[in-house]
Structures are given as C-alpha cells and as structure tokens.
Amino acid sequence: MRGYAENVEVTTADTGEASAPEAFVWRGRRYRVAGVLESWREATPWWRLPMGEQGVYDAERRVWRVEASAGASPSLGVFDLAHARSGWSLERLSD
C-alpha cells in the first residue's frame, strides 16, 4: 500500500456527502469504480488541527475503499478515496 494524499476529481451518483464514488480522475487518467469494498469515517487527530489559523480545516472525513480500473484495462486496483469539506483526495493505493 502506498500513501498519496493527492487531490482528485470524483463523480458520484448524487451530489450529497454520503454518495459513493462512481469514477475519478487521478494524474490525468480516468478510473471507473467497479465496487465499494468498505466505507468509514475518520476524525482528524487533535494534534493535526490548526491552531489560530483562518481557513478551512477538516475535523472529519469519509473514506471509501474502492476497486477501480483505468480506461478499458481489466486489472483492478484498490484505492482509498476521502471526502471532506475541502474536497476529494486519493489517500492510498494497493495494486
């Protein structure tokens, strides 16, 4: 498993927060989600919350572990996609 924490563009069936991802674009490639393996919520540890800073910070985010493939490729990878107030990110990849 490799960690990335990179912003991604995600397409969902609904625009609501609880909507699972259907597809995403990472590093210029479009990935189609074949299935959601699991989903959970993560709280940001108190020591990572900004002190006295202005702007958006994420005290909690929702993570989806999905199987996805790029383009017409039949091989699947396992991706952890996270959604918080600041947007979507690809957190981890297992291939």
Side-chain angles (χ1 to χ4, degrees):
M1 182 160 291
R2 289 176 249 156
Y4 290 97
E6 294 180 17
N7 292 333
V8 291
E9 181 182 322
V10 174
T11 304
T12 63
D14 184 17
T15 57
E17 175 197 347
S19 298
E22 292 185 333
F24 61 96
V25 177
W26 177 53
R27 294 185 176 177
R29 294 187 74 184
R30 181 173 170 77
Y31 291 80
R32 184 184 56 78
V33 173
V36 175
L37 301 176
E38 59 184 309
S39 178
W40 65 91
R41 291 194 182 276
E42 291 181 349
T44 302
W46 63 266
W47 60 88
R48 289 193 179 167
L49 293 174
M51 293 179 57
E53 295 178 19
Q54 291 185 342
V56 176
Y57 68 91
D58 298 317
E60 184 178 271
R61 64 187 183 167
R62 178 121 185 233
V63 180
W64 283 269
R65 180 164 287 159
V66 300
E67 286 185 311
S69 62
S73 173
S75 62
L76 295 172
V78 177
F79 301 82
D80 286 357
L81 299 170
H83 181 260
R85 291 188 317 160
S86 60
W88 286 91
S89 62
L90 173 76
E91 295 299 310
R92 293 169 289 274
L93 163 62
S94 297
D95 51 347

